[in-house]
Amino acid sequence: MASKRVKIHYRRLLRQDSTFPLDKTLQDRIQTAMETTKPDGSKVRDKAKHRVTGVPNSEGSERLLNTYHSDAACVFGTVCLTLPGQLQALLKVVDSSSAHPNLAEVMSALEIAETAAPAGHEYVHGMTYWTVIGDHFYQIQHVSMQAKAMEEYFTWLLRDNSAISQTEAVMLQWKFDRAQVGDDELESIQIGGLMPETVHDVALTPAELSKMEDVETRETIGEKVAATFAKARKVIEDLIGEVETNKIIESMPDDASLDVRVNIGFRAKKRKLKREVMSSLEAGLRNIADGEIVAKGKNGMVRGDDARLSMDMGIRRISETSTLLDPEHALQQMLEVHRRFIHDGKIE
């Protein structure tokens, strides 16, 4: 069976300011929520309708915990994003009415139509695979189903089923990959991306424009040489004094130029971000986009999710042509990543 190379992202439940029960793990709370009995006598894990919720700031969109597995070691599942009733665009590439299309038909635009999902189905617009081991969280992200979406979903699921209080929440903190940025050797963090192309200069009013005038400046080669010579002489005078400078200049040939180069050596202590500062960054920046972070550590500049703890793994697809992953193999690979991180001392 063909496999697909995916990135498995690591997060850990953030515990601060009593945001989560101190005596319970995230794994335990999810298991408790899924075993909750609803008014109709069924458990949350028994019916999908108990696990569907809306998406904040996205009217009509819904998230559903679909696949679910639980044992003493972990909980595992998939969460799907749907927009019930939405149409899907289709491109018509074969014209059944014409077995031999002419050149004009081939060169013309293909027909695009929209269709609804078959009865009893909804189109899936995003799906993510996840595993929780204690407070450790692993996720194979989808572009529309990243960590923030999982924080929102699990907070709703646990609150709705009284697994946590209404003032508590699920917050998932990423960790710096110490193998990339170094252990206690992170020197700086840069946050921010490229300036959008839509940003333009501020328009000036006619009154402001009337106060502006064009200024044309000209400078000859001789003026540049003279200015350079004067600056170089000033550097030497500051270093060795005017008398010694005059001696050097007087000894120069008539066609020589004055070229001054100064090498200054200094000693300074290497700056490092303390471990507690790094932890604060991991918590405070937990939902910032990967491409917005540039970390400078022992291996130089580390960009995006390379700075965050994650691992690329091959996971089998359910068929040769499918984009869906084999859930059982996805779970096995996430458990393997957890084992490696523990063995390598990257997590505790």
Side-chain angles (χ1 to χ4, degrees), residues 97-151:
S97 65
S98 176
H100 303 285
N102 58 39
L103 181 61
E105 292 174 329
V106 173
M107 297 301 290
S108 66
L110 298 172
E111 178 184 346
I112 296 179
E114 289 184 309
T115 183
H121 296 72
E122 294 294 348
Y123 290 119
V124 176
H125 294 279
M127 186 167 75
T128 181
Y129 303 75
W130 58 271
T131 298
V132 174
I133 306 168
D135 283 348
H136 304 285
F137 179 84
Y138 296 89
Q139 183 185 8
I140 301 171
Q141 295 182 347
H142 182 273
V143 64
S144 57
M145 293 288 290
Q146 300 191 33
K148 186 175 186 295
M150 302 305 289
E151 287 183 335

Side-chain angles (χ1 to χ4, degrees), residues 81-102:
L81 173 67
T82 65
L83 184 55
Q86 187 172 15
L87 303 178
Q88 179 110 339
L90 301 174
L91 186 67
K92 186 177 180 180
V93 296
V94 177
D95 185 355
S96 58
S97 65
S98 176
H100 303 285
N102 58 39

